Amino acid sequence: MNTSTPSARWLVAALLSLGVAVPAQAQENDPIKVGILHSLTGTMAISESTLKDTMLMLIEQQNAEGGLLGRQLEPVVVDPASNWPLFAEKARELLAQDKVDVIFGNWTSVSRKSVLPVVEELNGLLFYPVQYEGEESSENVFYTGAAPNQQAIPAVNYLKDNVGVERWVLAGTDYVYPRTTNKILEAYLKGHGVADEDIMINYTPFGHSDWQNIVSEIKRFGSEGKKTAVVSTINGDANVPFYRELGNQGIDAADIPVVAFSVGEQELSGIDTGPLVGHLAAWNYFMSVDNDANYDFIDAWIDYTGDEMSVTNDPMEAHYIGFNMWLEAVRKAGTADVDAVKDAIIGVTVPNLTGGYAAMMPNHHITKPVLIGEIQDNGQFSVVWETPSTVAGDAWSDYLDGSRDLISDWRKPMECGNYNVVEGSCGGGVEAE
Amino acid sequence: MRITRYLTLWLLLVALVGTAQAQQDDPARSLLEALASASYAAKGEAIDAIVESGDARSRAWLEALNDGKLQKNKKTGQFVVVLANRGRNWPVEDALSGEPLGEMSRRELDRIGINNALRGQLRSTLAVLDLYVDNPDARLQAANDLLGQVDEAMMAPLNAVRDQESNEAVRDRLTEALAIYRLEQGDPQAIETLRGSLHPEARAALNGVVAGADAKLAAEAKAALSGIEQTLKINRGVETLYFGLSLGSVLVLAAIGLAITFGVMGVINMAHGELIMLGAYTSWGMQQLLPGQPGLAVILSIPAGFLVAGLAGVAIERCVIQFLKGRPLETLLATFGVSLILQQLVRTLISPLNRTVVTPEWMSGSLVINDALSLTLNRLYVLGFALLVFAALMLVMRRTRLGLEVRAVTQNRAMARSMGIRATRVDMLTFGLGAGVAGLAGVALAQLTNVGPNLGQSYIIDSFMVVVFGGVGNLWGTLVAGMSLGVINQVLEPWAGAVLAKIIVLVFIILFIQKRPRGLFPQKGRAAEG
């Protein structure tokens, strides 16, 4: 429609001004809008669509309890279709058009990097629920997943100290999260006296399906007299053929344990776990955690999905924590206004699903317990080790040059994501990768 | 003493079969109570105590513990064995009396957890028991499990068992297991026994000695190792070749359907990958229809996968491709659209999540040639299946009426029509055949990789690559191209890494196509002009 008569133009202008006026007037009774930015189609739908459902369930529960500040919560779901640039567009749409008060979303680091400038420009709030490589801090993003010091480092410590591992295979998918994590781990291991020839690093493309050679190489690497373990940052889809190959080539967890950072209950639901019993994963939550809050969450989730076999996983717990933190912060601030919530949320403490509490730190990361679980034959994990207390997420790794001296503190008066403690200036340090 | 412990346990196992259950279960209860301790070290001692007790049920307890199925009721403190642990409510039986207790919820039960160290201890404990069973395969398995697990306490009973062992393979294995332990204790004679052994545990032990303090022993171990390394090298070569052929067979399977639709008919079918996916989902669906019979389901899904994907192919041909005859660009776009539709359809109707396809018993594990070389069975089957499909397809194209008509239509459409061949019908059937073969590929791939909506995408590029490399329109070309690309890829992978190997292969193909645009086996004569 392309009308150019003056009267039509006036009408449009009048409608537009009304449109602007209405929200301002009715804010008291309008619902609070919660944006959900998870891929429902494309490659990442496998992981992200459950998070969308988790958010819808949490919002439904909250509304049944009377909403927030006497207002209902209204979910706004968009589908960025596993397309990284589209994530930025959809985030813009959520913030500029739908005027959401908060966004819960993203899975891959690359999609987060694409959304980051938009959220900062339009001053939105983003809760990011997945474990990631760290080396980032934004005023507008809250990282409810694990930073490397909340997953990778404790897992390596467990293998080193409790299992007696001396040789390491760092296997990952070829993209930013595994590369950064492995760089940190390599620096960490070498710092603890592991020799160069005792570390083997291997990268594979996304969705790699032919693991024969790599698995037999791992087998060879592991038969040289020292206890060997595989630290796997292999991403989602490639895991099924990887674990199948491990099982078929008879690599037993008692000989060469594999500890994975991206394999949870949901990934295992696509595999027959019989041959994998004893292989490990490091997370901050397992579905098998013996805790009433967890059982209630599982029951609610099974009722919501209507599928007796549906599983819960770590990023779902991260959303549970993030959502409750946001609710708490809005209540504390008395408004859903972004700037007020941003200030109010630091220090907010809510229960997690493992029987403890999670607190929002000044660097926008949260405190989490680190759990090591062994795979069971029913696709669940059994916890074999956990940190004695919760660990606070560290945005900047202590094991990388250039990021060692950086700290992040978004409280006033510092309000800086990369304060260099040596130079004493904000943003003055070397930009770490 | 553990020696006596194992012997008493074995004697009791034999003696107590069929005898009445002991009335007094208090000692048994306290044995299990000790297992429920929080510390793994205490649990290890509790396992030893159970073995020492000689209770007839101890084997069942240890197995349940090993499977994570020995649990404790939080309220009543009763010990139960979980019979099936999927979902929220599990059927259980009493661990002491063995009587069924109905279902209990996950909330009520506390699992007695174990870790890898305890699992190792349990496994060697159970393995020692297994050495006394009648089945020689089970004894061999047990002897295998004992490699690298032997400790001082086991030496005497194991020696006794070995001397009585009638099966040679089991005896050799036990000798090896004992030698590994003796070597670790610094016995130079053990090196002689281990010379030529390809087992990783033996090499690990020798490597340990090489790195050790005893220089004389280290030199001998080194000599033994270098002999082993020689044999290993040959094995490694065979292994790489097998890996290559296996990868090649997957490529051939994925590409062979395309060799018909693209190669013979000239249709650029971007939905080919999704036809593969349909075959894989048929395999999954068949397992849903036949729960508990994965083997039968796999066999039945071969014809079913062919039919489902074939019919889908016919539908695509009728609804889309026949209207775009001779317009390759439009066909490409339209079939790309079809592929997206099919993917999203599966996501919406079934689930965006991957589905589990169970590998039947006879397809899992590997065919052991020697300790360093074993061929994974599922891949061996896929390799055979690929060759079978190829042979069948050759037969159809060369020996049947349909094959004759297809060749006639592709060579000269106008002439074939004037000879009374219904070209449109042939088009439909050919496309259906190509699609059906893609479905077969899906059934095979379901045993190797994810069954999910993205399955097809990961194979479409490889498929086109193989067909173009092999020479468009030539089935032999597809076979040779697929196999050689597979082998090249696997040979490159160990030293170049997976990512670089893929790139090198692509670059190689680009250069090859520059030099020989018609691929390995170009079509000759007039057919090549069409």
Side-chain angles (χ1 to χ4, degrees):
Chain A
M1 190 170 84
N2 195 354
T3 47
S4 51
T5 52
S7 57
R9 227 180 280 160
W10 279 113
L11 187 65
V12 171
L15 282 174
L16 274 177
S17 61
L18 265 178
V20 173
V22 168
Q25 211 175 37
Q27 205 169 34
E28 294 309 304
N29 307 316
D30 263 9
I32 298 177
K33 287 185 172 177
V34 179
I36 302 174
L37 184 66
H38 283 301
S39 302
L40 312 179
T41 53
T43 39
M44 289 313 293
I46 176 174
S47 306
E48 291 194 67
S49 53
T50 19
L51 289 184
K52 183 247 334 176
D53 290 333
T54 310
M55 284 312 299
L56 291 180
M57 178 184 87
L58 292 170
I59 290 170
E60 195 183 287
Q61 282 176 347
Q62 192 59 34
N63 280 336
E65 285 170 24
L68 181 60
L69 302 179
R71 292 159 70 186
Q72 288 282 295
L73 295 173
E74 182 192 320
V76 184
V77 180
V78 290
D79 177 16
S82 313
N83 173 341
W84 319 138
L86 195 58
F87 266 93
E89 267 173 56
K90 289 290 176 186
R92 189 173 289 280
E93 184 185 313
L94 281 175
L95 290 169
Q97 256 175 47
D98 297 316
K99 306 247 183 275
V100 298
D101 297 288
V102 60
I103 299 175
F104 290 84
N106 296 74
W107 182 289
T108 56
S109 287
V110 47
S111 73
R112 187 191 68 248
K113 295 271 187 209
S114 132
V115 164
L116 198 65
V118 179
V119 183
E120 285 181 348
E121 178 199 328
L122 300 175
N123 194 27
L125 280 182
L126 172 68
F127 283 82
Y128 176 66
V130 184
Q131 99 279 20
Y132 83 120
E133 67 280 1
E135 307 305 298
E136 182 183 300
S137 182
S138 164
E139 192 182 357
N140 301 80
V141 183
F142 294 90
Y143 306 84
T144 53
N149 73 317
Q150 291 174 305
Q151 192 187 25
I153 300 276
V156 165
N157 278 339
Y158 169 77
L159 290 174
K160 197 160 56 71
D161 303 334
N162 296 38
V163 186
V165 172
E166 294 170 274
R167 261 169 101 79
W168 304 83
V169 181
L170 308 180
T173 303
D174 205 356
Y175 75 107
V176 53
Y177 166 67
R179 283 220 177 240
T180 315
T181 306
N182 284 346
K183 205 155 53 171
I184 295 172
L185 288 181
E186 197 186 349
Y188 179 77
L189 287 172
K190 285 187 177 158
H192 282 78
V194 177
D196 274 354
E197 72 265 18
D198 285 338
I199 300 179
M200 164 179 154
I201 298 183
N202 184 295
Y203 291 106
T204 41
F206 264 101
H208 190 64
S209 62
D210 195 277
W211 290 92
Q212 312 177 81
N213 233 317
I214 293 163
V215 168
S216 90
E217 216 172 306
I218 290 173
K219 213 165 150 183
R220 234 171 284 148
F221 188 78
S223 63
E224 311 219 332
K226 285 183 186 167
K227 179 79 183 169
T228 305
V230 181
V231 177
S232 151
T233 38
I234 296 164
N235 175 279
D237 263 10
N239 276 301
V240 174
F242 174 61
Y243 278 106
R244 275 205 173 161
E245 194 66 37
L246 281 180
N248 280 332
Q249 293 202 20
I251 292 198
D252 195 273
D255 305 328
I256 305 179
V258 177
V259 56
F261 301 151
S262 313
V263 176
E265 288 83 353
Q266 195 169 312
E267 285 73 18
L268 287 185
S269 69
I271 323 180
D272 171 20
T273 52
L276 305 179
V277 172
H279 285 305
L280 306 143
W283 288 105
N284 311 102
Y285 164 85
F286 287 113
M287 185 179 176
S288 64
V289 166
D290 187 22
N291 180 279
D292 273 329
N294 180 34
Y295 289 131
D296 291 341
F297 183 72
I298 294 171
D299 286 345
W301 175 243
I302 288 177
D303 290 343
Y304 185 81
T305 57
D307 176 6
E308 188 66 28
M309 289 297 151
S310 50
V311 294
T312 58
N313 62 11
D314 182 274
M316 284 172 68
E317 193 225 11
H319 259 345
Y320 171 88
I321 295 172
F323 183 69
N324 284 330
M325 282 183 162
W326 174 74
L327 291 179
E328 199 52 47
V330 171
R331 276 188 213 114
K332 202 166 128 192
T335 163
D337 176 67
V338 169
D339 285 321
V341 171
K342 227 158 48 184
D343 288 338
I345 200 167
I346 292 174
V348 160
T349 304
V350 298
N352 59 22
L353 291 178
T354 47
Y357 286 87
M360 179 60 76
M361 306 306 287
N363 63 358
H364 287 192
H365 289 63
I366 67 173
T367 56
K368 285 167 165 278
V370 186
L371 315 177
I372 310 281
E374 287 183 0
I375 297 177
Q376 305 296 301
D377 62 350
N378 58 350
Q380 292 287 326
F381 292 87
S382 95
V383 178
V384 290
W385 182 84
E386 60 187 292
T387 45
S389 60
T390 55
V391 179
D394 186 10
W396 302 100
S397 172
D398 297 340
Y399 303 102
L400 290 183
D401 292 335
S403 101
R404 191 172 294 135
D405 304 328
L406 298 182
I407 59 160
S408 157
D409 190 335
W410 290 105
R411 285 174 302 188
K412 290 186 176 70
M414 189 188 252
E415 289 191 306
C416 176
N418 51 355
Y419 184 84
N420 191 313
V421 285
V422 177
E423 293 172 13
S425 63
C426 183
V430 194
E431 183 67 30
E433 277 175 72
Chain B
M1 208 54 198
R2 274 174 88 171
I3 314 162
T4 45
R5 203 194 307 151
Y6 288 118
L7 288 175
T8 41
L9 177 49
W10 167 60
L11 285 172
L12 276 162
L13 270 176
V14 179
L16 278 174
V17 174
T19 57
Q21 199 78 77
Q23 293 295 311
Q24 180 59 271
D25 259 342
D26 277 349
R29 220 195 120 68
S30 60
L31 284 174
L32 293 183
E33 205 63 64
L35 273 183
S37 145
S39 117
Y40 288 115
K43 281 181 193 182
E45 286 165 21
I47 292 173
D48 286 343
I50 287 183
V51 175
E52 252 162 49
S53 77
D55 194 298
R57 294 158 292 181
S58 49
R59 165 138 213 173
W61 292 336
L62 295 182
E63 268 171 7
L65 179 66
N66 195 21
D67 295 341
K69 287 179 176 162
L70 188 63
Q71 313 214 345
K72 187 179 177 184
N73 190 316
K74 279 184 200 162
K75 282 206 201 77
T76 62
Q78 188 178 26
F79 285 94
V80 297
V81 174
V82 174
L83 302 172
N85 58 1
R86 293 195 183 260
R88 281 182 291 182
N89 293 308
W90 301 333
V92 297
E93 65 178 30
D94 192 300
L96 294 172
S97 65
E99 70 186 271
L101 296 172
E103 286 202 339
M104 281 188 191
S105 115
R106 231 167 67 96
R107 265 179 211 251
E108 297 172 71
L109 296 171
D110 211 356
R111 210 172 59 88
I112 300 179
I114 56 171
N115 61 8
N116 276 323
L118 283 181
R119 203 171 283 118
Q121 185 189 346
L122 276 171
R123 183 135 32 101
S124 58
T125 307
L126 290 171
V128 171
L129 294 176
D130 275 342
L131 286 176
Y132 300 98
V133 297
D134 284 333
N135 180 354
D137 289 340
R139 290 206 303 273
L140 188 61
Q141 181 58 44
N144 268 328
D145 282 347
L146 282 172
L147 282 176
Q149 301 284 340
V150 179
D151 59 25
E152 181 60 47
M154 288 185 203
M155 284 298 280
L158 281 188
N159 267 318
V161 171
R162 186 195 52 187
D163 294 340
Q164 284 168 11
E165 179 59 58
S166 53
N167 185 307
E168 199 174 333
V170 181
R171 199 164 52 227
D172 289 350
R173 258 295 123 89
L174 285 174
T175 312
E176 216 172 301
L178 290 166
I180 289 176
Y181 175 73
R182 292 210 322 273
L183 181 66
E184 280 162 2
Q185 303 306 308
D187 179 354
Q189 280 176 333
I191 292 180
E192 219 36 61
T193 319
L194 292 178
R195 199 181 292 275
S197 165
L198 297 175
H199 199 279
E201 288 288 351
R203 273 198 307 137
L206 286 170
N207 270 317
V209 172
V210 170
D214 189 338
K216 187 164 160 283
L217 204 61
E220 274 184 57
K222 208 165 195 167
L225 266 179
S226 72
I228 292 175
E229 286 299 334
Q230 282 300 324
T231 332
L232 277 182
K233 251 191 203 136
I234 300 167
N235 278 314
R236 219 167 282 167
V238 177
E239 192 185 54
T240 308
L241 186 69
Y242 171 70
F243 289 165
L245 291 178
S246 158
L247 175 63
S249 69
V250 170
L251 291 176
V252 169
L253 262 181
I256 195 107
L258 198 72
I260 294 175
T261 52
F262 174 55
V264 178
M265 287 177 73
V267 174
I268 299 182
N269 178 20
M270 294 300 282
H272 178 74
E274 278 58 43
L275 293 169
I276 297 179
M277 175 192 77
L278 284 184
Y281 269 97
T282 314
S283 193
W284 168 75
M286 198 54 91
Q287 291 200 340
Q288 301 303 320
L289 290 180
L290 296 167
Q293 288 170 292
L296 184 66
V298 166
I299 291 169
L300 284 182
S301 52
I302 292 173
F306 183 84
L307 280 181
V308 169
L311 289 177
V314 168
I316 294 173
E317 207 275 340
R318 285 291 90 180
C319 301
V320 181
I321 294 170
Q322 69 157 331
F323 303 114
L324 299 170
K325 202 116 212 106
R327 290 152 67 188
L329 203 61
E330 284 89 336
T331 318
L332 187 147
L333 285 175
T335 50
F336 184 62
V338 170
S339 84
L340 292 180
I341 292 171
L342 284 175
Q343 273 178 39
Q344 200 53 39
L345 212 61
V346 168
R347 264 191 208 111
T348 320
L349 291 183
I350 299 178
S351 160
L353 306 182
N354 288 341
R355 303 282 96 182
T356 322
V357 172
V358 182
T359 309
E361 198 66 40
W362 44 270
M363 273 182 81
S364 44
S366 45
L367 179 71
V368 180
I369 310 286
N370 60 36
D371 282 333
L373 179 64
S374 47
L375 311 180
T376 42
L377 275 179
N378 58 350
R379 287 187 175 269
L380 206 59
Y381 276 102
V382 169
L383 180 59
F385 184 66
L387 295 178
L388 220 66
V389 168
F390 180 78
L393 211 55
M394 278 317 259
L395 220 62
V396 168
M397 294 303 271
R398 288 283 160 83
R399 294 267 182 273
T400 63
R401 175 91 197 157
L402 176 68
L404 186 69
E405 289 184 353
V406 169
R407 281 180 292 146
V409 169
T410 47
Q411 278 177 17
N412 193 329
R413 197 180 177 84
M415 181 65 84
R417 287 186 61 174
S418 63
M419 301 299 282
I421 294 173
R422 284 157 62 195
T424 47
R425 183 174 157 274
V426 171
D427 281 346
M428 183 182 83
L429 289 179
T430 319
F431 198 84
L433 178 69
V437 173
L440 291 180
V443 173
L445 285 177
Q447 292 300 328
L448 299 180
T449 181
N450 293 291
V451 178
N454 306 324
L455 170 70
Q457 280 182 334
S458 29
Y459 287 95
I460 183 78
I461 296 189
D462 285 344
S463 305
F464 272 106
M465 203 168 76
V466 169
V467 174
V468 170
F469 179 55
V472 174
N474 192 320
L475 291 183
W476 279 110
T478 305
L479 181 72
V480 175
M483 289 299 181
S484 42
L485 286 183
V487 174
I488 294 173
N489 198 316
Q490 292 296 320
V491 170
L492 287 177
E493 211 179 271
W495 63 268
V499 182
L500 200 57
K502 248 194 151 135
I503 295 172
I504 295 175
V505 168
L506 274 172
V507 169
F508 165 72
I509 289 181
I510 292 171
L511 294 178
F512 184 86
I513 295 294
Q514 294 287 326
K515 199 86 191 137
R516 296 186 61 169
R518 286 177 188 279
L520 275 178
F521 295 86
Q523 284 207 325
K524 294 192 187 76
R526 254 178 293 174
E529 314 306 320

